[in-house]
């Protein structure tokens, strides 16, 4: 009996407009910066028109990527609300995959922009096994005090012990798949912020993600018992906004590119998951140049391919699926993404240099045998 599980950051699946760019140019879309818009009312009209015009192509590609993943359960990040998810599933996915995701779950979290984690599930797996949700729980209200995770690093960043740990949420679901128990933890960890006090944004925000990963581990160990998690069927899915390795992309379009794998030596928040074999990053079963889910660039001087999107498996699930590895759906990537040799794919119709696109992130999907 198998389950096809996926995760995908769909990027800003919103039902509202952001008009803050009129007063804060850093938040203004680049196309509107080409025009001299002196009235806020006119700016709002133009911004709304721009978003509406661009969204249809973007969401068609997002839906194509989800259809290609063909998952029984898909974990999503950056969903505005249930209304947005329902409108997207009915208006776009339904046309591509039929009425396949009738079960949808979203609980409002802590993100200041209102983007949440969500889950869509079929009623049955592709093998015809029922997918039954027994329990769902949000951990958005958990504070550092609750889990004893407050420390000096967080205090130096201006946080307090009563602050909430998760900057979005950890959504916990307990299911039976064809009668077999399976637990799922869906997260979207703290994003890498801007540089601060001489440190890059990733390392500045590392203490927050480290607390979030410790909290996820605490939640799982509280459920199954510390030292007893290895034999359980569970997975952690989502956008981790961190990595333990990456690929440097060196060169330009004119000179050509070379690709150099790197390992993180200064530590990652994800070390909390991998130390002592708590879970396995099954993406490591793929070639070192073929594990990336996102292309990041700050000009030609910094270009990277890295894995931000993960399906972490419990030791029991990893062993039961020892000969399998995840698939990565990259057809929705913009043309600016630089692919290593032999990896380029046919993009979806109307994909642009930077936009439209399905997302900067790639869906990750894996077929699992449940035991």
């Amino acid at each position: 009996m198998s389950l096809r599980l996926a995760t995908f950051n769909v990027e800003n699946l919103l039902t509202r407009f952001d008009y803050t760019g009129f007063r804060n140019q850093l938040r203004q879309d680049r196309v509107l910066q080409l025009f001299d818009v002196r009235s806020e009312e006119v700016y709002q009209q133009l911004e709304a028109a721009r978003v509406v015009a661009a969204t249809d192509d973007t969401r068609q590609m997002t839906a194509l990527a989800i259809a290609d993943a063909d998952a029984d359960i898909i974990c999503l990040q950056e969903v505005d609300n249930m209304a947005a998810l329902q409108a997207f599933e009915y208006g776009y996915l339904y046309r591509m995959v039929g009425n396949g995701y009738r079960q949808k779950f979203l609980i409002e979290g802590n993100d200041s922009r209102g983007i949440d984690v969500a889950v869509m599930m079929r009623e049955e797996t592709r093998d015809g096994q029922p997918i039954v949700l027994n329990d769902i729980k949000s951990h958005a209200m958990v504070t550092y005090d609750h889990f004893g995770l407050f420390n000096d690093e967080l205090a130096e960043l201006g946080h307090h012990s009563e602050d909430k740990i998760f900057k979005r949420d950890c959504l916990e679901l307990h299911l039976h798949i064809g009668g077999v128990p399976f637990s799922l933890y869906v997260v979207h960890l703290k994003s890498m912020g801007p540089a601060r006090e001489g440190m890059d944004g990733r390392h500045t925000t590392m203490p927050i993600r480290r607390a979030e990963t410790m909290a996820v581990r605490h939640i799982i160990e509280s459920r199954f018992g510390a030292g007893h998690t290895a034999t359980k069927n569970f997975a952690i899915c989502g956008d981790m906004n961190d990595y333990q390795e990456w690929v440097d992309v060196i060169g330009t379009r004119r000179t050509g590119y070379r690709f150099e794998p790197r390992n993180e030596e200064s530590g990652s928040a994800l070390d909390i998951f991998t130390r002592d074999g708590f879970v396995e990053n099954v993406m490591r079963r793929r070639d070192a140049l073929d594990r990336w889910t996102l292309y990041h660039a700050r000009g030609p001087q910094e270009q990277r391919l890295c894995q931000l999107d993960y399906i972490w498996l419990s030791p029991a699930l990893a062993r039961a699926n020892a000969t399998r590895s995840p698939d990565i759906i990259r057809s929705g990537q913009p043309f600016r993404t630089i692919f290593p040799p032999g990896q380029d794919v046919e993009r979806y119709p109307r994909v642009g240099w930077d936009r439209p696109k399905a997302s900067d992130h790639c869906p990750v999907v894996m077929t699992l045998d449940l035991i």
Side-chain angles (χ1 to χ4, degrees):
M1 193 272 293
S2 65
L3 169 72
R4 193 157 170 86
L5 176 66
T7 186
F8 187 24
N9 183 331
V10 295
E11 287 190 335
N12 298 316
L13 180 57
L14 302 176
T15 57
R16 54 200 155 85
F17 302 109
D18 180 1
Y19 296 127
T20 58
F22 182 75
R23 302 188 183 280
N24 182 355
Q25 198 170 50
L26 293 175
R27 304 192 66 168
Q28 187 175 113
D29 187 80
R30 62 183 182 236
V31 71
L32 289 181
Q33 293 179 7
L34 297 173
F35 299 91
D36 182 17
V37 183
R38 302 185 181 185
S39 161
E40 185 165 4
E41 180 181 0
V42 172
Y43 173 83
Q44 291 183 1
Q45 293 171 349
L46 291 172
E47 175 64 9
R50 181 195 69 80
V51 170
V52 169
T55 295
D56 185 52
D57 277 348
T58 296
R59 292 312 165 199
Q60 285 190 57
M61 294 173 199
T62 304
L64 278 169
I66 293 174
D68 282 348
D70 193 24
D72 301 316
I73 299 176
I74 183 163
C75 308
L76 303 174
Q77 300 86 51
E78 297 200 13
V79 178
D80 195 353
N81 50 45
M82 184 57 76
L85 187 59
Q86 289 175 332
F88 169 71
E89 196 268 346
Y90 180 76
Y92 291 88
L93 268 180
Y94 178 81
R95 297 172 182 270
M96 296 177 187
V97 300
N99 197 7
Y101 292 105
R102 293 188 177 182
Q103 302 186 78
K104 306 178 189 68
F105 304 97
L106 182 152
I107 298 174
E108 297 291 335
N110 298 322
D111 189 89
S112 59
R113 293 189 296 143
I115 51 174
D116 301 305
V117 297
V119 178
M120 293 195 303
M121 304 191 302
R122 302 185 190 278
E123 294 182 310
E124 295 182 342
T125 68
R126 294 183 302 168
D127 296 338
Q129 298 297 321
I131 300 174
V132 178
L133 176 68
N134 301 311
D135 187 30
I136 183 170
K137 183 178 182 180
S138 166
H139 294 276
M141 302 308 292
V142 173
T143 68
Y144 295 116
D145 261 352
H146 284 142
F147 289 173
L149 293 177
F150 194 68
N151 56 35
D152 291 340
E153 281 188 311
L154 292 166
E156 289 175 5
L157 293 175
H159 297 277
H160 303 90
S161 61
E162 66 272 17
D163 289 346
K164 299 176 180 110
I165 296 175
F166 294 107
K167 302 313 163 196
R168 280 94 180 190
D169 196 2
C170 173
L171 198 59
E172 178 180 8
L173 300 92
H174 299 287
L175 309 106
H176 275 84
I177 314 294
V180 178
F182 174 67
S183 295
L184 182 60
Y185 300 85
V186 187
V187 297
H188 183 188
L189 301 187
K190 169 66 179 175
S191 58
M192 304 181 207
R196 174 177 170 176
E197 297 179 358
M199 294 180 63
D200 65 68
R202 177 177 174 234
H203 288 91
T204 299
T205 53
M206 187 75 71
I208 302 172
R209 284 190 300 280
R210 192 175 292 119
E212 288 178 311
T213 51
M214 286 191 287
V216 173
R217 181 162 179 166
H218 177 92
I219 290 166
I220 296 171
E221 291 177 333
S222 295
R223 172 74 183 191
F224 299 116
H228 299 282
T229 60
T231 60
K232 306 302 180 181
N233 285 338
F234 71 85
I236 307 168
C237 293
D239 177 359
M240 304 296 151
N241 270 312
D242 211 342
Y243 46 83
Q244 295 171 308
E245 61 180 7
W246 70 90
V247 176
D248 276 334
V249 182
I250 302 167
T252 66
R253 293 177 66 196
R254 181 177 61 82
T255 63
Y257 299 100
R258 71 179 192 273
F259 301 85
E260 296 186 359
R262 308 284 190 190
N263 290 313
E264 178 58 83
E265 297 179 353
S266 61
S268 163
L270 306 182
D271 297 343
I272 304 297
F273 287 159
T274 55
R275 74 183 186 201
D276 64 25
F278 178 68
V279 288
E280 180 181 333
N281 175 18
V282 285
M283 194 76 86
R284 292 288 187 109
R285 299 175 182 178
R286 298 173 64 103
D287 183 81
L289 291 182
D290 197 21
R291 300 168 183 165
W292 60 274
T293 66
L294 181 134
Y295 168 73
H296 162 80
R298 286 195 180 97
Q301 72 278 4
E302 182 180 315
Q303 303 174 96
R304 289 182 174 181
L305 296 166
C306 53
Q307 182 192 359
L308 294 190
D309 307 274
Y310 292 75
I311 296 176
W312 303 89
L313 296 184
S314 67
L317 273 181
R319 284 193 304 271
N321 296 275
T323 61
R324 292 177 171 169
S325 60
D327 297 320
I328 307 171
I329 311 300
R330 296 187 175 126
S331 296
Q333 283 287 292
F335 280 97
R336 63 177 172 80
T337 299
I338 301 167
F339 285 60
Q343 292 183 25
D344 210 351
V345 295
E346 181 179 357
R347 262 63 159 207
Y348 297 138
R350 296 198 301 278
V351 164
W353 177 253
D354 179 55
R355 63 187 185 194
K357 61 196 172 192
S359 171
D360 278 333
H361 296 254
C362 301
V364 177
V365 59
M366 188 171 180
T367 300
L368 302 173
D369 284 332
L370 298 182
I371 55 174

